[in-house]
Amino acid sequence: MKKALVLLLALSLLAALCACAQPAAPAADAFDSTDASAAAPAEAASSGSDFSGVTVVASRWAGPNADTQKAIVESYTNGTIVIDDVDYNNLKEKQILSMSASGEYDLIWVPEVWIPEYVANGWLLPLDSYIARDDLNMDDYLSGIVEIGKVDGTMYAMPDMMQGMMMTYNTEWLEREGQNIPATWDELVALAKYFKEAGTGIGLPLMQGQAAMDLYAMILYSNGGDYFDADGSLALTSDVCLEAAQQYAELVQYAMDGAVTWHNDQVSEAIRTGKCPFGITMSGLSGLDSDPEGSVIADCVAYGAMPGKKSVSGCLNTWSWAIAANSANPDAAWEAVKYLTSADVEKQMAVQIGHTSAVAALSSDADVLAAEPFLPALSEQMANGKTQPLAASASALSDPLQAALSEIAASGADPVEVFNKLQSAPSRTSKQPWRTATT
């Protein structure tokens, strides 16, 4: 009973925090010339239309979560949903190819950081007319994630799930080595150093990409910092940004061998299969830890917030379902979106794989609470968190920053020198209209 109460309070807190994640209305992006306006479907089929002969193709990342979703959609009765699951590192590239040319995908599973760019290029269909026609109650979803799916007040992406990085520990391994779960940043580094010298190390997602940038953001936000100064100008050489870069470099030197090729999936797998004693993992994969058939830590896993130097803070990730503007079957795709984001399907995903749903009512569902023991840690991590910068030109920052972090991890480059070089690039010295969503 006590454990259930703790989980209930944790998920309720997380829901409340995400409900507060209201991003400010974005300014027009001075670096994007594409007209983001797109007409809603002129003659949408009425709600309840029969699409039994229509196949809707949905793009999402690959892995056990996708496998679970494939099994669930087999029960869809108003047509056929085909899940094309792609490794995360290739997902955006393949989605853009489809939305800009091939039209392979009807549905796009999109994270918060890609939404502004996709909308600016006219690749996503506005959903407001569908929502109004079907009298869909958006209050059924966490309001912060609803707002993240909007650009200039128009809804482009239906909220599906939220996640964030946190610590995962094999407590049996720690106890065997006489080690404790760290409560401070220095203790975290010391634990990583201990295991590195013992032949393993800490599991970190250091492959060049979004996960490494999210790890850096967690460190930066935990120091009370941001990428930008008070005027909104990029400030990667500020004291707080450089300190976070040095902390990043300090921690990555004790990472598991091969971690420079790891994304979130590989970190989770290494800990879950007993190859790594602890690490920084993505909560969206934590449901796999409790499966005794695929996890050796089912009975000895513990979760916690990553301790920062000054505070605990997280980097919020969301995933939402959108309809490709060049879909040949937008009406059928909308029916599929409603199904995928329904309370019933969301609960199945939550119970079977630990999917943290954006459906508000599931915040107090007993079955969901029992299936997600990581929620207290995630709630603590997100109590002072926010998203990565959201703008159509976000790649102007994210791409070179991800490359810089990869350079630090792979070659041991001086983080101060790397960040000074990054800041001095002409394309990044101008003020840009960024926004973030905060918890």
Side-chain angles (χ1 to χ4, degrees):
M1 177 65 72
K2 182 177 180 181
K3 181 178 179 182
L5 178 59
V6 170
L7 289 171
L8 174 59
L9 292 173
L11 190 51
S12 297
L13 173 60
L14 187 60
L17 293 171
C18 289
C20 294
Q22 304 278 353
D29 196 322
F31 294 85
D32 291 315
S33 58
T34 306
D35 182 3
S37 62
E43 295 183 4
S46 62
S47 177
S49 295
D50 182 8
F51 296 104
S52 57
V54 179
T55 296
V56 171
V57 181
S59 167
R60 62 153 294 153
W61 90 55
N65 297 64
D67 294 339
T68 299
Q69 193 162 55
K70 286 179 181 179
I72 290 173
V73 301
E74 288 181 2
S75 64
Y76 184 59
T77 58
N78 195 14
T80 301
I81 300 174
V82 173
I83 303 291
D84 184 41
D85 50 333
V86 179
D87 181 80
Y88 178 83
N89 298 307
N90 301 315
L91 182 63
K92 185 178 182 183
E93 179 181 3
K94 193 168 183 184
Q95 286 183 348
I96 289 176
L97 177 62
S98 174
M99 294 184 295
S100 63
S102 70
E104 176 184 357
Y105 297 136
D106 301 290
L107 294 184
I108 306 293
W109 206 42
V110 58
E112 77 291 341
V113 290
W114 299 349
I115 292 173
E117 176 185 355
Y118 285 8
V119 171
N121 283 284
W123 291 334
L124 300 183
L125 199 67
L127 303 179
D128 295 295
S129 62
Y130 283 124
I131 293 170
R133 183 200 69 188
D134 294 349
D135 197 24
L136 207 62
N137 185 3
M138 296 308 295
D139 290 339
D140 289 343
Y141 301 89
L142 298 174
S143 60
I145 304 181
V146 171
E147 292 302 313
I148 286 172
K150 296 179 180 179
V151 175
D152 291 336
T154 297
M155 193 76 180
Y156 288 92
M158 281 291 292
D160 182 30
M161 71 167 287
M162 55 189 171
Q163 61 178 1
M165 286 181 172
M166 59 187 184
M167 304 299 306
T168 300
Y169 302 94
N170 181 331
T171 58
E172 186 177 88
W173 198 337
L174 264 64
E175 290 169 3
R176 188 168 62 243
E177 296 290 333
Q179 300 298 309
N180 298 314
I181 291 176
T184 67
W185 173 263
D186 290 340
E187 290 178 2
L188 173 61
V189 173
L191 184 64
K193 182 175 186 290
Y194 172 85
F195 278 110
K196 184 68 174 179
E197 292 175 348
T200 54
I202 181 173
L204 297 173
L206 301 181
M207 175 187 286
Q208 182 173 327
Q210 188 64 49
M213 186 173 167
D214 288 349
L215 173 56
Y216 172 77
M218 284 178 63
I219 299 171
L220 177 64
Y221 297 163
S222 294
N223 289 352
D226 204 318
Y227 296 102
F228 310 99
D229 61 21
D231 295 327
S233 297
L234 192 63
L236 294 177
T237 54
S238 66
D239 289 344
V240 70
C241 280
L242 292 180
E243 181 183 20
Q246 290 170 316
Q247 287 178 248
Y248 182 88
E250 179 183 31
L251 188 61
V252 302
Q253 65 182 317
Y254 303 124
M256 288 272 293
D257 289 347
V260 291
T261 66
W262 288 4
H263 194 63
N264 292 315
D265 302 76
Q266 288 73 38
V267 178
S268 176
E269 181 182 11
I271 300 171
R272 187 172 67 248
T273 57
K275 298 174 183 176
C276 179
F278 79 113
I280 297 177
T281 60
M282 185 60 75
S283 66
L285 298 166
S286 297
L288 301 169
D289 298 336
S290 302
D291 179 8
E293 293 186 4
S295 172
V296 302
I297 62 171
D299 296 324
C300 60
V301 62
Y303 303 101
M306 185 195 79
K309 273 197 171 182
K310 297 180 181 178
S311 66
V312 170
S313 186
C315 184
L316 175 66
N317 297 159
T318 68
W319 287 83
S320 303
W321 282 109
I323 300 176
N326 65 346
S327 167
N329 304 295
D331 298 334
W334 170 247
E335 293 301 314
V337 167
K338 289 195 297 180
Y339 168 80
L340 290 168
T341 59
S342 66
D344 178 63
V345 171
E346 293 278 353
K347 180 173 178 176
Q348 291 183 61
M349 288 291 292
V351 170
Q352 294 182 35
I353 203 68
H355 169 105
T356 305
S357 175
V359 174
L362 296 181
S363 299
S364 56
D365 186 282
D367 296 329
V368 173
L369 294 172
E372 301 188 347
F374 55 86
L375 286 172
L378 182 60
S379 297
E380 181 184 0
Q381 192 75 69
M382 290 300 164
N384 189 35
K386 56 186 175 182
T387 66
Q388 291 282 6
L390 305 179
S393 58
S395 59
L397 168 64
S398 62
D399 290 353
L401 178 54
Q402 290 167 14
L405 293 170
S406 178
E407 180 182 358
I408 293 169
S411 70
D414 182 339
V416 174
E417 291 182 5
V418 171
F419 269 57
N420 273 302
K421 181 172 64 175
L422 186 62
Q423 175 70 36
S424 65
S427 63
R428 286 181 288 283
T429 56
S430 300
K431 181 177 177 181
Q432 299 193 38
W434 306 95
R435 65 178 177 126
T436 57
T438 59
T439 57

